[in-house]
């Protein structure tokens, strides 16, 4: 048999992986790309120059392995998060995706269960699958909030080793009140992971689970630089937790998992945090205007604390998705049946989205 003709069916693939396809949103070359929740505003020339200078210096030492514990970067991330955190309470990896996988490698595994509340981030069950962790879900309310009584009861039934809570939630944009997170932390026998990938986009007054860390030693808060920091190509995610949690993750991390280049790029970006985050207010305003517009034209739109909006409902959402794509606008076909998700782009991109959708309506 030639290698050109071999298929997955010919390989000794794990049984639970048969029939699966790689995760990923469509990457299509269209004029308006509003499907993967990127920040539409790239870094300024000053930021680009500083990143390039840092990379140039680092390139002279690429014959050496990177700092495997990324201490300088973790120190900078702790300073960004606030004065109450130290480098020992922060860990970094290749995007928050790798952070999640590391957490399940440390706290999940055969005979253990991870739990979340649907609809939520579609990668969570894949992390569980890849680490041989059982996966179970409860259901969110009609408005996509989490019912604490339902959550506590399900935790009591399942005794999960890890609970995943996305806040703001993907794909709905829903943020969790701290009292709901507290109720879950009080009930959970294992780890509680609050995924705050979109935290910087929260509406004014919406709190972060970081405030709960001193009270809950098994709480983990994850963040990313891919969204608000406009550093999706840099692949840098991180967590804040008790030092013991960081030590646990260090046991399962691959050697030198975070390259020298990733570390210096992220550190250079952090020195420009104010500038890189300056467009967050613009994106919030555009998001809120998008929600209002969608409702004005007779559609449902979920309240959002992120840089995207879930909207619907459609009898045939794929037909709507395709019709928008035919008009040069790419959004995401995800979430509950009948719903679609649009990332918030520039004002011109959102105008193109509204114009294309209005034609369909």
């Amino acid at each position: 048999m030639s290698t050109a003709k071999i298929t997955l069916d010919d390989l000794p693939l794990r049984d639970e992986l048969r029939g699966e396809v790689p995760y990923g949103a469509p990457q299509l070359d269209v004029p308006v790309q509003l499907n993967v929740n990127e920040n539409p505003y790239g870094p300024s020339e000053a930021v680009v120059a500083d990143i390039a200078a840092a990379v140039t210096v680092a390139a002279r030492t690429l014959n050496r392995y990177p700092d495997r514990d990324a201490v300088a970067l973790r120190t900078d991330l702790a300073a960004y998060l606030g004065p109450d955190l130290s480098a020992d309470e922060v860990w970094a990896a290749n995007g928050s995706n790798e952070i999640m996988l590391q957490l399940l490698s440390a706290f999940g595994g055969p005979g253990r269960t991870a739990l979340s509340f649907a609809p939520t981030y579609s990668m969570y069950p894949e992390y569980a699958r890849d680490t041989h962790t059982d996966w179970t879900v409860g259901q969110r309310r009609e408005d996509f909030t989490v019912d604490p009584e339902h959550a506590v009861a399900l935790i009591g039934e399942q005794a999960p080793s890890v609970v995943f809570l996305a806040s703001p939630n993907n794909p709905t944009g829903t943020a969790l009140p701290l009292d709901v997170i507290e109720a879950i932390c009080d009930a959970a026998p294992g780890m509680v992971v609050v995924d705050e990938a979109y935290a910087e986009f929260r509406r004014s007054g919406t709190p972060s689970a970081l405030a709960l860390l001193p009270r809950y030693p098994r709480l983990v808060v994850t963040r990313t630089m891919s969204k608000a920091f406009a550093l999706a190509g840099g692949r840098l995610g991180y967590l804040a937790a008790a030092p013991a949690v960081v030590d646990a993750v260090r046991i399962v991390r691959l050697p030198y998992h975070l390259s020298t280049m990733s570390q210096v790029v992220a550190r250079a970006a952090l020195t420009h945090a104010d500038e890189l985050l300056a467009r967050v207010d613009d994106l919030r305003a555009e998001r809120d205007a998008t929600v209002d517009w969608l409702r004005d034209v007779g559609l449902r739109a979920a309240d959002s604390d992120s840089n995207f909006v879930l909207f619907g409902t459609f009898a045939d959402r794929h037909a709507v998705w395709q019709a928008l794509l035919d008009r040069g606008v790419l959004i995401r076909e995800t979430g509950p049946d009948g719903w679609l998700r649009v990332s918030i782009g520039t004002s011109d991109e959102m105008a193109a989205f509204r114009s294309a959708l209005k034609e369909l309506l």
Side-chain angles (χ1 to χ4, degrees), residues 8 58 68 80 89 143 279 327 337 342 344 348 355 357:
L8 282 174
R68 61 174 169 253
Y80 165 71
E89 298 168 291
D143 63 356
R279 303 306 294 265
R327 291 163 172 78
D337 289 344
V342 59
I344 301 304
D348 288 344
S355 176
L357 184 58

Side-chain angles (χ1 to χ4, degrees), residues 28 31 52 260 312 314 346:
L28 304 175
T260 295
F314 303 99
T346 65

Side-chain angles (χ1 to χ4, degrees), residues 47-69:
V47 176
V48 170
D50 280 1
I51 289 175
V55 167
T56 299
V57 172
R60 299 189 177 99
T61 63
L62 286 181
N63 58 309
R64 304 296 184 186
Y65 284 113
D67 176 0
R68 61 174 169 253
D69 290 328

Side-chain angles (χ1 to χ4, degrees), residues 247-316:
D247 288 342
V249 172
R250 289 174 61 232
I251 293 172
V252 300
R253 63 103 168 94
L254 294 174
Y256 311 109
H257 70 292
L258 198 57
S259 75
T260 295
M261 291 307 186
S262 294
Q263 294 182 42
V264 299
V265 167
R267 294 193 68 201
L270 283 165
T271 66
H272 292 273
D274 290 345
E275 178 182 343
L276 289 170
L277 296 175
R279 303 306 294 265
V280 166
D281 284 344
D282 295 336
L283 292 169
R284 285 192 191 116
E286 193 71 54
R287 171 200 64 204
D288 293 342
T290 300
V291 169
D292 291 341
W293 181 84
L294 288 165
R295 291 171 177 171
D296 286 345
V297 297
L299 294 171
R300 296 174 65 188
D303 290 332
S304 178
D305 279 282
S306 57
N307 68 330
F308 55 82
V309 177
L310 189 74
F311 69 99
T313 57
F314 303 99
D316 186 350

Side-chain angles (χ1 to χ4, degrees), residues 204-271:
S204 178
T206 305
S208 165
L210 289 170
L212 301 178
L213 285 175
R215 292 174 46 204
Y216 294 102
R218 292 185 176 184
L219 173 64
V220 182
V221 180
T222 65
R223 294 279 186 96
T224 182
M225 294 183 71
S226 294
K227 310 301 181 184
F229 267 91
L231 204 69
R235 305 305 303 132
L236 200 291
Y238 55 103
L239 66 76
V245 176
V246 174
D247 288 342
V249 172
R250 289 174 61 232
I251 293 172
V252 300
R253 63 103 168 94
L254 294 174
Y256 311 109
H257 70 292
L258 198 57
S259 75
T260 295
M261 291 307 186
S262 294
Q263 294 182 42
V264 299
V265 167
R267 294 193 68 201
L270 283 165
T271 66

Side-chain angles (χ1 to χ4, degrees), residues 187-211:
M191 308 300 295
V192 176
V193 180
V194 180
D195 180 354
E196 291 191 346
Y198 302 94
E200 285 88 354
F201 296 104
R202 291 167 299 159
R203 288 172 290 183
S204 178
T206 305
S208 165
L210 289 170

